Amino acid sequence: MPYLRLNQAVKMNDTQHAWMRRLARHPLMVDVKERLDSWIDEPDLLRHVLRENQFGQALLCVLLGMVVGAIVASLHHALKVLHEAIFLLGPGEYISSASSIDWVRVVTVPAAGAVLLVIVSSLMRYWRPKEVIDPIEANALMGGRMPFIDNLRLLLESFISSASGVSFGMEAAYTQMGSGFLSWAGQKLQLRREDLRIFVAAGAAAAVSAAFNAPLAGAFYGFELVLSVYTISALLQVGLCALSSAVFVRIFTEGTPIFQLSNNVIDVPIYNYGLFFVLGIASAFVGIATMKMVTSCEHTANRLSLPDWLRPVCGGMVLSLIALLFPQVLGSGQGAIDDHLNRAWPLLPLIVLLLAKMAASAVSIGAGFRGGLFSSSLFLGCLTGQIMGVVASYLLPQTPGQVESFMLVGMGAVATSIIGAPVTMVLLVLELTGSFAATSGVLFGVLVSSSLTRYMFGYSFSTWRFHLRGLRIHGAQDIGWISDLKVSKLMKSDARIVPGDTSLADLREVAPLGDTRRVFVVDKGHEYQGVVDVNAIHSPNLDKRLNETVARELAKGKDFYLLPDEDIQHAMKQFERSELEELPVLDSLKSHKIIGYVTEAYTLKRYAQELETQNSAIRLPLQGKKLS
């Protein structure tokens, strides 16, 4: 009976049947049916939906962001517990703010950690000798592709380094892990190049958001450093990934700012902005000096001819000597920042501690320990700002929270100089402290520091490291497509080739006017000797020398040619240098045999097409994305 009633309820008359048939034939319904059929026929429905749908990608980023947040929180807690056990710290005490540390452990732990790092690194390099690809490099050159095993390798080496008490934090490993995890997921789903780059940025955003309980700063970190552009088409994925990571971490924490200010209200008088300007300049010098000190430590190790396995051990011993006098240089500096924000320090100890922290951070990185300068730059900025704040208290009337305001400005300004993300650092300082009263001062100092660093130095720490390795990377802008567009893809194979001893009369017969524009000349061994302009060989001025002149005498541009593996950018530079409109493509530098040629006009056309494609992908808004 229930079936009969249901059957009767769905009966339709002829008019309803006709209406349903017309609805089924409607173009929109036909399109929906075709889409559903194609999805059902797809062997991997999830991959198809996520690859074609940005909202599906955003939902996946929410889930993956939670996983990244859980991993970062777990690693942070594990490192803290390990520090408490190794250095005999009190519950909840940070190594950089410990009231007392056994000097024997200060001397032995960094060196012992270096030995363990050398062993692990040697095994890793034997297994995988290639350099680890970081998020910026992956987005710039690899289209967002990051080998997953590299992330585990860097994470393990960074954890060992940080557990040894070296003078930096785990933030570089967190961002590597977050970006690598989402890159791996994107590769499994076979995402497009631009979507995969967005996933890499979202992973880094989630890592920073979880590490500092700062979703806004995390999102802008992804945009400024890892994606290198702010675009609406990436806002949903990056923003939700950072937010979900922070929310997940806050479920298991109190959700309060990491640093607590002694003054709830910070007054920033207008006359302080002149000193904020000076502080921005000083912060730029501190940031540049720290980056150059890292390079100096590496060069010193090279001059001493220290083997790779011995460098971390020697660096650990030097770090121990510095830490015996200044224990606050150990660790990331989070506990030390909180201590300085809530306690007054004399001027001279602050200056000495600043120099000691710069040296300790440079030695830690330069000696071969794995890590970055993210958290260290915040502590360096805190010290720089506190020094300026103490000086200001001698020169200007005291106001509530005056020294704290200089410390906040210094944190943002030095971190911007080293890390290179001004908006990120402004938001990070505000989210770390929960103080919005000093916003304009922090922004002013950050702008001054960022501009001066770019003018004087031209690099952030990450791009400076790329420069030292010889990579042409000034940011995470996607230039990998340039490397993918090889000369072999631009080459034509119907090159007109003549022997060098061909007479001018024969040359005119081989290359009549209007038939071709260039003829390539080779010697008896078929090696390239230059190019001949067809219009030039038909000049009346050469009519009297038809049998006397040979092709090699008219050839020019012997030193200008291309190889199949060279990219389009190199090809354009060769056209500019040679002032030729066609260049031969040689098989190798050894044999110099011609296998084809490339024209300048076609090269410029292909470059413009690819550049427009990349720009269109960046500008593509959310509602404009093609769904099929």
Side-chain angles (χ1 to χ4, degrees):
M1 288 297 294
Y3 172 77
L4 291 177
R5 286 197 296 269
L6 178 61
N7 190 38
Q8 292 170 356
V10 298
K11 284 183 178 180
M12 294 181 287
N13 56 36
D14 293 340
T15 303
Q16 291 171 323
H17 274 294
W19 181 83
M20 290 296 295
R21 285 195 295 270
R22 288 196 300 271
L23 179 62
R25 290 195 297 268
H26 192 277
L28 179 61
M29 295 301 296
V30 172
D31 183 60
V32 171
K33 182 179 181 301
E34 290 177 353
R35 289 170 183 268
L36 290 175
D37 289 341
S38 66
W39 289 357
I40 292 172
D41 293 337
E42 181 74 27
D44 190 345
L45 177 61
L46 177 63
R47 183 180 66 193
H48 184 91
V49 172
L50 292 176
R51 188 174 187 271
E52 303 295 338
N53 191 297
Q54 189 178 23
F55 291 102
Q57 294 178 18
L59 179 60
L60 179 61
C61 283
V62 171
L63 301 177
L64 296 178
M66 292 182 181
V67 176
V68 173
I71 295 174
V72 170
S74 300
L75 289 172
H76 182 76
H77 180 71
L79 183 62
K80 200 167 184 302
V81 170
L82 201 58
H83 275 168
E84 292 174 2
I86 294 176
F87 291 96
L88 301 180
L89 306 178
E93 195 173 23
Y94 287 95
I95 185 174
S96 59
S97 60
S99 56
S100 62
I101 303 179
D102 183 13
W103 69 271
V104 176
R105 295 177 183 269
V106 172
V107 171
T108 58
V109 171
V115 173
L116 179 60
L117 177 65
V118 168
I119 295 173
V120 172
S121 298
S122 300
L123 293 175
M124 291 290 185
R125 287 195 181 93
Y126 179 79
W127 183 23
R128 187 172 178 83
K130 294 182 178 180
E131 285 287 337
V132 175
I133 299 173
D134 86 336
I136 297 177
E137 183 180 355
N139 267 5
L141 298 178
M142 311 296 294
R145 296 185 298 273
M146 299 176 65
F148 189 74
I149 191 65
D150 285 355
N151 309 318
L152 299 179
R153 167 187 167 185
L154 181 64
L155 188 63
L156 178 59
E157 293 177 357
S158 297
F159 190 83
I160 294 173
S161 299
S162 294
S164 306
V166 293
S167 192
F168 50 70
M170 284 275 293
E171 292 78 20
Y174 293 156
T175 56
Q176 179 78 22
M177 181 274 305
S179 295
F181 179 55
L182 265 78
S183 175
W184 170 81
Q187 291 177 70
K188 289 296 182 182
L189 295 170
Q190 297 181 1
L191 295 183
R192 298 181 181 89
R193 182 186 186 97
E194 187 59 32
D195 291 331
L196 189 58
R197 295 180 71 251
I198 292 173
F199 262 50
V200 171
V208 172
S209 176
F212 292 101
N213 191 16
L216 288 176
F220 273 88
Y221 180 91
F223 282 123
E224 288 189 288
L225 280 184
V226 185
L227 196 59
S228 200
V229 64
Y230 173 80
T231 169
I232 298 298
S233 62
L235 178 61
L236 200 59
Q237 297 98 308
V238 176
L240 287 178
C241 198
L243 185 60
S244 64
S245 177
V247 170
F248 187 85
V249 172
R250 288 176 182 179
I251 294 175
F252 302 100
T253 62
E254 299 178 359
T256 56
I258 294 179
F259 305 127
Q260 301 294 326
L261 296 176
S262 58
N263 294 279
N264 293 325
V265 178
I266 295 180
D267 184 19
V268 183
I270 192 65
Y271 50 75
N272 271 354
Y273 281 85
L275 292 177
F276 288 162
F277 179 80
V278 177
L279 178 55
I281 295 175
S283 298
F285 279 103
V286 169
I288 295 172
T290 302
M291 290 185 279
K292 287 191 172 183
M293 286 174 69
V294 173
T295 307
S296 297
C297 290
E298 294 176 340
H299 289 169
T300 300
N302 291 334
R303 285 196 298 269
L304 295 175
S305 300
L306 294 177
D308 291 341
W309 62 268
L310 187 57
R311 292 186 183 189
V313 178
C314 293
M317 295 173 63
V318 174
L319 176 64
S320 297
L321 294 176
I322 299 174
L324 285 174
L325 300 175
F326 309 98
Q328 279 196 319
V329 303
L330 294 174
S332 65
Q334 179 176 331
I337 292 175
D338 201 38
D339 180 58
H340 280 259
L341 284 170
N342 294 278
R343 186 160 64 95
W345 278 65
L347 182 59
L348 184 58
L350 286 174
I351 296 175
V352 177
L353 181 58
L354 172 63
L355 298 175
K357 180 64 177 178
M358 292 171 63
S361 299
V363 167
S364 298
I365 298 290
F369 286 99
R370 283 289 193 175
L373 293 176
F374 199 122
S375 53
S376 293
S377 65
L378 292 174
F379 185 32
L380 291 172
C382 176
L383 292 172
T384 305
Q386 193 171 15
I387 291 171
M388 182 62 71
V390 173
V391 172
S393 65
Y394 298 148
L395 304 176
L396 302 173
Q398 283 279 5
T399 58
Q402 176 171 278
V403 177
E404 284 88 342
S405 68
F406 281 93
M407 294 167 73
L408 298 185
V409 174
M411 287 170 63
V414 173
T416 296
S417 177
I418 295 176
I419 305 302
V423 177
T424 298
M425 295 309 163
V426 172
L427 295 174
L428 181 63
V429 170
L430 297 177
E431 289 185 286
L432 288 179
T433 61
S435 173
F436 290 88
T439 304
S440 56
V442 174
L443 178 60
F444 185 55
V446 161
L447 291 176
V448 173
S449 174
S450 176
S451 301
L452 188 59
T453 301
R454 182 179 295 273
Y455 175 76
M456 294 181 58
F457 193 58
Y459 299 93
S460 63
F461 183 65
S462 57
T463 55
W464 174 241
R465 305 292 285 171
F466 293 140
H467 170 71
L468 294 177
R469 287 168 51 191
L471 296 176
R472 298 178 298 172
I473 302 177
H474 296 281
Q477 296 93 342
D478 187 9
I479 61 173
W481 62 271
I482 294 177
S483 301
D484 293 339
L485 198 55
K486 302 292 186 183
V487 167
S488 57
K489 297 180 180 180
L490 308 172
M491 180 182 70
K492 297 180 181 180
S493 57
D494 57 339
R496 189 73 60 87
I497 302 174
V498 298
D501 56 1
T502 304
S503 67
L504 178 57
D506 293 338
L507 192 58
R508 285 184 173 183
E509 292 182 6
V510 172
L513 279 172
D515 183 46
T516 185
R517 301 180 63 181
R518 299 286 186 276
V519 175
F520 300 104
V521 180
V522 297
D523 61 11
K524 293 182 180 181
H526 300 286
E527 291 191 9
Y528 173 63
Q529 297 297 308
V531 60
V532 172
D533 188 332
V534 172
N535 291 329
I537 66 175
H538 286 276
S539 171
N541 297 330
L542 298 176
D543 289 346
K544 296 180 180 180
R545 302 169 53 191
L546 291 179
N547 297 317
E548 301 174 4
T549 305
V550 293
R552 74 170 68 90
E553 297 175 8
L554 301 173
K556 60 180 181 179
K558 178 182 178 180
D559 296 329
F560 297 101
Y561 50 82
L562 299 170
L563 298 175
D565 291 335
E566 292 172 339
D567 60 45
I568 190 172
Q569 202 167 46
H570 177 78
M572 292 192 299
K573 289 181 179 179
Q574 283 292 80
F575 280 117
E576 184 179 354
R577 295 190 191 104
S578 66
E579 299 182 356
L580 296 174
E581 297 179 1
E582 294 180 6
L583 287 175
V585 180
L586 309 183
D587 61 345
S588 68
L589 290 174
K590 185 176 181 180
S591 64
H592 273 226
K593 292 182 179 180
I594 299 175
I595 59 175
Y597 68 100
V598 175
T599 66
E600 183 180 25
Y602 183 69
T603 301
L604 294 175
K605 178 182 177 181
R606 289 289 290 118
Y607 183 81
Q609 289 174 344
E610 291 294 330
L611 189 62
E612 179 61 26
T613 300
Q614 298 300 320
N615 292 338
S616 298
I618 292 174
R619 295 194 302 263
L620 189 62
L622 173 62
Q623 60 272 24
K625 269 213 167 184
K626 192 176 181 181
L627 298 179
S628 62

